[in-house]
Amino acid sequence: KLAQRDALDEKTRARKSGNVCAKVAALAAEALDRTAATEREGRKPRVAVYAAMRSEVDLQPFVETVYARGWIPYFPCMVRDEPHAESRMAFYPVPIDRFDEARAEFLNHPLRCLPCGELAEHGYEEVDPADLDVVVVPLVAFDDAGNRLGYGGGNYDRLLPRLRADALVVGVAFDEQRTDAVPCEPHDRPLPHIVSA
């Protein structure tokens, strides 16, 4: 499925990404309107996104919507708590006035692993996954039952059980990544929403 995704030309990928982003924005707005938790706590909605690698769905149009609506985007970064510890995925808020700076610091290198304290030194505070309201998940492949195939690192597999039950989780992909059946392990959980174009 990655080869089919990679084969999409830039113009087609951009058009399809825009369509996916519009659908995700509508789902997020509907979910956040229904969720009173953010209003009770008096805080802005927290939306986990990602910076696209290679031929992934480009979320930039959705990120722009997040900023325009006053929501806060959280981007993933691979971090290590100790020098020889196993790396893990953590999410950090990126205010609009720090977006270009964050690109240089970690967004343009999503697989680079940083010491956990390095981002804290630059003023980025890791979010507790239970505080995320919307989480957008990149996919390698998916099926009609909501099963997803990731990149094999297990980062989102570890993240998803730590989210609140009312958090909106949306997988994003291109139609070319759809398959008849994704092989599943007993611990795998289907995604409640997968948006494709």
Side-chain angles (χ1 to χ4, degrees):
K1 291 300 173 183
L2 284 179
Q4 289 172 279
R5 189 182 78 184
D6 291 344
L8 292 171
D9 63 80
E10 200 169 312
K11 188 174 178 181
T12 301
R13 190 178 299 120
R15 177 179 51 78
K16 286 175 168 272
S17 291
N19 290 341
V20 167
C21 287
K23 293 175 187 176
V24 172
L27 270 175
E30 181 183 333
L32 291 169
D33 283 347
R34 281 196 320 262
T35 304
T38 53
E39 294 170 1
R40 282 197 309 270
E41 296 173 20
R43 63 167 176 79
K44 295 180 178 181
R46 296 168 176 158
V47 182
V49 293
Y50 64 85
M53 294 188 306
R54 299 183 293 273
S55 61
E56 287 179 332
V57 170
D58 183 0
L59 287 186
Q60 190 58 32
F62 178 61
V63 171
E64 290 168 8
T65 298
V66 169
Y67 283 128
R69 293 189 178 177
W71 305 341
I72 303 172
Y74 284 73
F75 287 85
C77 182
M78 298 305 295
V79 297
R80 259 192 197 92
D81 296 309
E82 302 291 337
H84 300 292
E86 188 176 328
S87 63
R88 63 182 178 84
M89 184 175 67
F91 282 82
Y92 297 87
V94 178
I96 193 165
D97 60 337
R98 295 195 69 184
F99 186 75
D100 291 334
E101 178 187 330
R103 273 191 179 284
E105 289 173 337
F106 68 99
L107 297 184
N108 285 344
H109 311 283
L111 297 180
R112 183 176 67 188
C113 189
L114 299 174
C116 194
E118 186 171 320
L119 287 176
E121 288 171 12
H122 290 275
Y124 297 100
E125 187 176 336
E126 180 180 346
V127 70
D128 181 333
D131 290 333
L132 293 170
D133 302 300
V134 176
V135 178
V136 183
V137 181
L139 309 174
V140 169
F142 68 97
D143 62 25
D144 290 335
N147 297 306
R148 62 175 280 275
L149 183 64
Y151 291 98
N155 291 310
Y156 283 94
D157 292 329
R158 286 187 288 275
L159 172 73
L160 295 177
R162 299 175 65 200
L163 302 175
R164 288 193 328 270
D166 66 344
L168 173 70
V169 180
V170 184
V172 293
F174 298 117
D175 290 335
E176 288 77 4
Q177 295 170 256
R178 184 186 310 271
T179 188
D180 290 339
V182 169
C184 296
E185 299 291 334
H187 65 272
D188 289 334
R189 294 173 15 181
L191 296 181
H193 303 278
I194 294 180
V195 171
S196 67

